[in-house]
mmCIF file of all heavy atoms in Angstrom:
data_model
loop_
_atom_site.group_PDB
_atom_site.id
_atom_site.type_symbol
_atom_site.label_atom_id
_atom_site.label_comp_id
_atom_site.label_asym_id
_atom_site.label_seq_id
_atom_site.Cartn_x
_atom_site.Cartn_y
_atom_site.Cartn_z
ATOM 1 N N ILE A 1 90.710 76.066 89.694
ATOM 2 C CA ILE A 1 91.302 77.391 89.824
ATOM 3 C C ILE A 1 90.173 78.402 89.956
ATOM 4 O O ILE A 1 89.198 78.360 89.209
ATOM 5 C CB ILE A 1 92.179 77.739 88.607
ATOM 6 C CG1 ILE A 1 93.357 76.762 88.523
ATOM 7 C CG2 ILE A 1 92.679 79.185 88.689
ATOM 8 C CD1 ILE A 1 94.191 76.903 87.281
ATOM 9 N N ILE A 2 90.320 79.295 90.927
ATOM 10 C CA ILE A 2 89.378 80.388 91.154
ATOM 11 C C ILE A 2 90.069 81.682 90.738
ATOM 12 O O ILE A 2 91.253 81.862 90.992
ATOM 13 C CB ILE A 2 88.993 80.478 92.642
ATOM 14 C CG1 ILE A 2 88.213 79.240 93.080
ATOM 15 C CG2 ILE A 2 88.181 81.748 92.917
ATOM 16 C CD1 ILE A 2 88.018 79.152 94.583
ATOM 17 N N VAL A 3 89.305 82.591 90.123
ATOM 18 C CA VAL A 3 89.802 83.938 89.828
ATOM 19 C C VAL A 3 89.013 84.903 90.693
ATOM 20 O O VAL A 3 87.779 84.872 90.705
ATOM 21 C CB VAL A 3 89.629 84.286 88.334
ATOM 22 C CG1 VAL A 3 90.056 85.723 88.069
ATOM 23 C CG2 VAL A 3 90.409 83.331 87.461
ATOM 24 N N ASP A 4 89.741 85.758 91.435
ATOM 25 C CA ASP A 4 89.052 86.711 92.301
ATOM 26 C C ASP A 4 88.677 87.976 91.528
ATOM 27 O O ASP A 4 88.923 88.081 90.327
ATOM 28 C CB ASP A 4 89.873 87.024 93.556
ATOM 29 C CG ASP A 4 91.123 87.855 93.303
ATOM 30 O OD1 ASP A 4 91.326 88.337 92.171
ATOM 31 O OD2 ASP A 4 91.909 88.027 94.257
ATOM 32 N N GLU A 5 88.106 88.933 92.230
ATOM 33 C CA GLU A 5 87.621 90.174 91.611
ATOM 34 C C GLU A 5 88.745 91.017 91.023
ATOM 35 O O GLU A 5 88.500 91.874 90.188
ATOM 36 C CB GLU A 5 86.835 90.986 92.636
ATOM 37 C CG GLU A 5 85.566 90.284 93.082
ATOM 38 C CD GLU A 5 84.877 90.982 94.233
ATOM 39 O OE1 GLU A 5 85.508 91.143 95.293
ATOM 40 O OE2 GLU A 5 83.703 91.355 94.053
ATOM 41 N N GLU A 6 89.974 90.776 91.455
ATOM 42 C CA GLU A 6 91.122 91.529 90.947
ATOM 43 C C GLU A 6 91.835 90.791 89.816
ATOM 44 O O GLU A 6 92.836 91.264 89.293
ATOM 45 C CB GLU A 6 92.094 91.803 92.091
ATOM 46 C CG GLU A 6 91.477 92.645 93.185
ATOM 47 C CD GLU A 6 92.310 92.665 94.457
ATOM 48 O OE1 GLU A 6 93.321 91.945 94.537
ATOM 49 O OE2 GLU A 6 91.926 93.401 95.374
ATOM 50 N N GLY A 7 91.347 89.597 89.468
ATOM 51 C CA GLY A 7 91.956 88.818 88.397
ATOM 52 C C GLY A 7 93.064 87.882 88.846
ATOM 53 O O GLY A 7 93.697 87.228 88.028
ATOM 54 N N LYS A 8 93.286 87.785 90.145
ATOM 55 C CA LYS A 8 94.321 86.888 90.672
ATOM 56 C C LYS A 8 93.781 85.455 90.733
ATOM 57 O O LYS A 8 92.639 85.237 91.128
ATOM 58 C CB LYS A 8 94.756 87.340 92.065
ATOM 59 C CG LYS A 8 95.913 86.553 92.604
ATOM 60 C CD LYS A 8 96.426 87.145 93.893
ATOM 61 C CE LYS A 8 97.593 86.289 94.411
ATOM 62 N NZ LYS A 8 98.077 86.782 95.689
ATOM 63 N N GLU A 9 94.620 84.478 90.333
ATOM 64 C CA GLU A 9 94.216 83.081 90.321
ATOM 65 C C GLU A 9 94.633 82.374 91.600
ATOM 66 O O GLU A 9 95.709 82.627 92.133
ATOM 67 C CB GLU A 9 94.840 82.364 89.121
ATOM 68 C CG GLU A 9 94.312 82.844 87.796
ATOM 69 C CD GLU A 9 94.871 82.056 86.627
ATOM 70 O OE1 GLU A 9 95.812 81.246 86.804
ATOM 71 O OE2 GLU A 9 94.351 82.253 85.517
ATOM 72 N N TYR A 10 93.757 81.467 92.048
ATOM 73 C CA TYR A 10 94.013 80.666 93.241
ATOM 74 C C TYR A 10 93.709 79.210 92.936
ATOM 75 O O TYR A 10 92.617 78.872 92.502
ATOM 76 C CB TYR A 10 93.117 81.111 94.408
ATOM 77 C CG TYR A 10 93.378 82.517 94.866
ATOM 78 C CD1 TYR A 10 92.708 83.586 94.292
ATOM 79 C CD2 TYR A 10 94.303 82.768 95.875
ATOM 80 C CE1 TYR A 10 92.953 84.885 94.709
ATOM 81 C CE2 TYR A 10 94.542 84.068 96.302
ATOM 82 C CZ TYR A 10 93.873 85.111 95.719
ATOM 83 O OH TYR A 10 94.121 86.394 96.136
ATOM 84 N N PHE A 11 94.666 78.330 93.190
ATOM 85 C CA PHE A 11 94.498 76.888 93.046
ATOM 86 C C PHE A 11 93.738 76.378 94.266
ATOM 87 O O PHE A 11 93.980 76.822 95.379
ATOM 88 C CB PHE A 11 95.887 76.231 92.976
ATOM 89 C CG PHE A 11 95.855 74.735 92.924
ATOM 90 C CD1 PHE A 11 95.699 74.081 91.717
ATOM 91 C CD2 PHE A 11 95.985 73.985 94.080
ATOM 92 C CE1 PHE A 11 95.674 72.698 91.662
ATOM 93 C CE2 PHE A 11 95.958 72.607 94.042
ATOM 94 C CZ PHE A 11 95.800 71.955 92.829
ATOM 95 N N PHE A 12 92.799 75.437 94.051
ATOM 96 C CA PHE A 12 92.114 74.827 95.187
ATOM 97 C C PHE A 12 91.869 73.354 94.911
ATOM 98 O O PHE A 12 91.848 72.920 93.766
ATOM 99 C CB PHE A 12 90.787 75.544 95.500
ATOM 100 C CG PHE A 12 89.690 75.304 94.494
ATOM 101 C CD1 PHE A 12 88.693 74.366 94.737
ATOM 102 C CD2 PHE A 12 89.647 76.015 93.306
ATOM 103 C CE1 PHE A 12 87.679 74.142 93.814
ATOM 104 C CE2 PHE A 12 88.632 75.807 92.373
ATOM 105 C CZ PHE A 12 87.647 74.867 92.639
ATOM 106 N N THR A 13 91.705 72.593 95.968
ATOM 107 C CA THR A 13 91.342 71.187 95.839
ATOM 108 C C THR A 13 89.884 71.035 96.248
ATOM 109 O O THR A 13 89.370 71.801 97.071
ATOM 110 C CB THR A 13 92.248 70.299 96.706
ATOM 111 O OG1 THR A 13 92.208 70.765 98.052
ATOM 112 C CG2 THR A 13 93.687 70.320 96.185
ATOM 113 N N LEU A 14 89.210 70.048 95.670
ATOM 114 C CA LEU A 14 87.773 69.892 95.899
ATOM 115 C C LEU A 14 87.439 69.596 97.360
ATOM 116 O O LEU A 14 86.334 69.900 97.806
ATOM 117 C CB LEU A 14 87.202 68.808 94.990
ATOM 118 C CG LEU A 14 87.268 69.106 93.486
ATOM 119 C CD1 LEU A 14 86.602 67.996 92.691
ATOM 120 C CD2 LEU A 14 86.636 70.445 93.143
ATOM 121 N N ASP A 15 88.370 69.035 98.118
ATOM 122 C CA ASP A 15 88.091 68.767 99.529
ATOM 123 C C ASP A 15 87.900 70.048 100.342
ATOM 124 O O ASP A 15 87.389 69.998 101.460
ATOM 125 C CB ASP A 15 89.179 67.894 100.156
ATOM 126 C CG ASP A 15 90.544 68.554 100.186
ATOM 127 O OD1 ASP A 15 90.908 69.255 99.224
ATOM 128 O OD2 ASP A 15 91.253 68.363 101.195
ATOM 129 N N LYS A 16 88.249 71.198 99.783
ATOM 130 C CA LYS A 16 88.050 72.489 100.469
ATOM 131 C C LYS A 16 86.658 73.068 100.213
ATOM 132 O O LYS A 16 86.274 74.061 100.820
ATOM 133 C CB LYS A 16 89.091 73.514 99.996
ATOM 134 C CG LYS A 16 90.521 73.089 100.229
ATOM 135 C CD LYS A 16 90.831 72.969 101.689
ATOM 136 C CE LYS A 16 92.304 72.649 101.882
ATOM 137 N NZ LYS A 16 92.580 72.032 103.140
ATOM 138 N N VAL A 17 85.890 72.438 99.311
ATOM 139 C CA VAL A 17 84.565 72.947 98.939
ATOM 140 C C VAL A 17 83.518 72.466 99.936
ATOM 141 O O VAL A 17 83.407 71.260 100.215
ATOM 142 C CB VAL A 17 84.175 72.518 97.510
ATOM 143 C CG1 VAL A 17 82.782 73.026 97.152
ATOM 144 C CG2 VAL A 17 85.201 73.019 96.500
ATOM 145 N N GLU A 18 82.764 73.423 100.454
ATOM 146 C CA GLU A 18 81.693 73.131 101.409
ATOM 147 C C GLU A 18 80.701 72.132 100.799
ATOM 148 O O GLU A 18 80.192 72.338 99.700
ATOM 149 C CB GLU A 18 80.982 74.443 101.738
ATOM 150 C CG GLU A 18 79.872 74.335 102.739
ATOM 151 C CD GLU A 18 79.234 75.690 102.995
ATOM 152 O OE1 GLU A 18 79.942 76.590 103.492
ATOM 153 O OE2 GLU A 18 78.047 75.851 102.670
ATOM 154 N N GLY A 19 80.437 71.039 101.508
ATOM 155 C CA GLY A 19 79.447 70.057 101.072
ATOM 156 C C GLY A 19 79.968 68.997 100.114
ATOM 157 O O GLY A 19 79.237 68.071 99.762
ATOM 158 N N TYR A 20 81.213 69.087 99.695
ATOM 159 C CA TYR A 20 81.770 68.104 98.752
ATOM 160 C C TYR A 20 81.991 66.771 99.457
ATOM 161 O O TYR A 20 82.585 66.717 100.518
ATOM 162 C CB TYR A 20 83.090 68.609 98.169
ATOM 163 C CG TYR A 20 83.741 67.622 97.235
ATOM 164 C CD1 TYR A 20 83.194 67.366 95.988
ATOM 165 C CD2 TYR A 20 84.887 66.938 97.611
ATOM 166 C CE1 TYR A 20 83.780 66.447 95.122
ATOM 167 C CE2 TYR A 20 85.482 66.024 96.758
ATOM 168 C CZ TYR A 20 84.922 65.784 95.520
ATOM 169 O OH TYR A 20 85.505 64.882 94.673
ATOM 170 N N GLN A 21 81.489 65.678 98.824
ATOM 171 C CA GLN A 21 81.609 64.351 99.422
ATOM 172 C C GLN A 21 82.071 63.322 98.388
ATOM 173 O O GLN A 21 81.643 62.175 98.427
ATOM 174 C CB GLN A 21 80.286 63.922 100.038
ATOM 175 C CG GLN A 21 79.848 64.825 101.166
ATOM 176 C CD GLN A 21 78.502 64.432 101.737
ATOM 177 O OE1 GLN A 21 77.659 63.840 101.059
ATOM 178 N NE2 GLN A 21 78.279 64.767 102.993
ATOM 179 N N GLY A 22 82.915 63.733 97.458
ATOM 180 C CA GLY A 22 83.462 62.797 96.490
ATOM 181 C C GLY A 22 82.677 62.657 95.200
ATOM 182 O O GLY A 22 83.039 61.851 94.342
ATOM 183 N N GLN A 23 81.618 63.441 95.032
ATOM 184 C CA GLN A 23 80.832 63.384 93.812
ATOM 185 C C GLN A 23 81.654 63.902 92.630
ATOM 186 O O GLN A 23 82.620 64.615 92.803
ATOM 187 C CB GLN A 23 79.565 64.249 93.923
ATOM 188 C CG GLN A 23 78.726 64.029 95.140
ATOM 189 C CD GLN A 23 79.065 64.970 96.282
ATOM 190 O OE1 GLN A 23 80.220 65.193 96.619
ATOM 191 N NE2 GLN A 23 78.035 65.518 96.915
ATOM 192 N N THR A 24 81.213 63.563 91.413
ATOM 193 C CA THR A 24 81.863 64.126 90.233
ATOM 194 C C THR A 24 81.418 65.573 90.073
ATOM 195 O O THR A 24 80.354 65.980 90.557
ATOM 196 C CB THR A 24 81.494 63.367 88.945
ATOM 197 O OG1 THR A 24 80.094 63.536 88.693
ATOM 198 C CG2 THR A 24 81.848 61.889 89.040
ATOM 199 N N VAL A 25 82.238 66.337 89.384
ATOM 200 C CA VAL A 25 81.916 67.732 89.108
ATOM 201 C C VAL A 25 80.618 67.815 88.305
ATOM 202 O O VAL A 25 79.769 68.674 88.558
ATOM 203 C CB VAL A 25 83.089 68.416 88.366
ATOM 204 C CG1 VAL A 25 82.709 69.795 87.893
ATOM 205 C CG2 VAL A 25 84.318 68.464 89.254
ATOM 206 N N GLN A 26 80.428 66.896 87.360
ATOM 207 C CA GLN A 26 79.204 66.892 86.550
ATOM 208 C C GLN A 26 77.966 66.643 87.411
ATOM 209 O O GLN A 26 76.937 67.278 87.218
ATOM 210 C CB GLN A 26 79.287 65.834 85.434
ATOM 211 C CG GLN A 26 80.212 66.195 84.328
ATOM 212 C CD GLN A 26 81.677 65.841 84.638
ATOM 213 O OE1 GLN A 26 81.976 65.179 85.629
ATOM 214 N NE2 GLN A 26 82.580 66.301 83.809
ATOM 215 N N ALA A 27 78.065 65.724 88.358
ATOM 216 C CA ALA A 27 76.926 65.434 89.237
ATOM 217 C C ALA A 27 76.556 66.650 90.085
ATOM 218 O O ALA A 27 75.390 66.883 90.379
ATOM 219 C CB ALA A 27 77.233 64.233 90.127
ATOM 220 N N LEU A 28 77.566 67.417 90.469
ATOM 221 C CA LEU A 28 77.333 68.607 91.287
ATOM 222 C C LEU A 28 76.912 69.816 90.454
ATOM 223 O O LEU A 28 76.481 70.827 90.993
ATOM 224 C CB LEU A 28 78.601 68.952 92.069
ATOM 225 C CG LEU A 28 78.983 67.914 93.109
ATOM 226 C CD1 LEU A 28 80.411 68.144 93.580
ATOM 227 C CD2 LEU A 28 78.028 67.941 94.280
ATOM 228 N N ARG A 29 77.073 69.694 89.131
ATOM 229 C CA ARG A 29 76.738 70.767 88.191
ATOM 230 C C ARG A 29 77.584 72.018 88.400
ATOM 231 O O ARG A 29 77.131 73.133 88.194
ATOM 232 C CB ARG A 29 75.251 71.097 88.231
ATOM 233 C CG ARG A 29 74.396 69.953 87.798
ATOM 234 C CD ARG A 29 72.948 70.325 87.774
ATOM 235 N NE ARG A 29 72.189 69.210 87.230
ATOM 236 C CZ ARG A 29 70.937 69.279 86.914
ATOM 237 N NH1 ARG A 29 70.273 70.388 87.107
ATOM 238 N NH2 ARG A 29 70.321 68.236 86.412
#
């Protein structure tokens, strides 16, 4: 979940993240 500058929440999936290739969140830091 992302919160924008106005406080609105947006759900996202990791496949929408630039450069994501299946790594764990911990590995990506």
Side-chain angles (χ1 to χ4, degrees):
I1 297 173
I2 294 170
V3 176
D4 71 8
E5 295 172 301
E6 298 167 355
K8 186 173 179 183
E9 293 184 350
Y10 296 89
F11 176 85
F12 72 99
T13 55
L14 296 183
D15 64 322
K16 301 295 184 202
V17 179
E18 182 180 297
Y20 178 71
Q21 297 177 333
Q23 310 93 314
T24 65
V25 172
Q26 287 84 9
L28 294 166
R29 297 183 175 190

